Amino acid sequence: RPGRQRMTRILTALVLVPAVIGILFYAPPPAFFATVALVAILCYREYADLVARHGASTFGPVGYAAGLLLLVTPDPALALGLFALLGM
């Protein structure tokens, strides 16, 4: 099955990458932000799955929330400071 999964990933990328690039260049700002947020969520999900497969713990929903907070915060230093305070 690894070969089938690889082919599925390649075909998905061939369809999604041009679509995402088109949205990022030509869509209005709300669609741009929604696309960036969706891609960020999908990337974090992929990362969390890889980490979990290697036996390490993930932050789960907190990781999703932290990533989205970084996207909407006008000053990323503020969000990072908030993460540091919550981590204490």
Side-chain angles (χ1 to χ4, degrees), residues 34-86:
T35 302
V36 169
L38 178 64
V39 169
I41 288 170
L42 292 173
C43 288
Y44 181 76
R45 186 183 81 179
E46 182 73 16
Y47 165 77
D49 288 345
L50 286 170
V51 168
R53 274 189 245 141
H54 285 81
S57 62
T58 63
F59 293 104
V62 174
Y64 289 105
L68 292 175
L69 180 63
L70 279 172
L71 284 175
V72 299
T73 305
D75 182 11
L78 177 66
L80 293 174
L82 179 62
F83 297 152
L85 287 174
L86 290 173

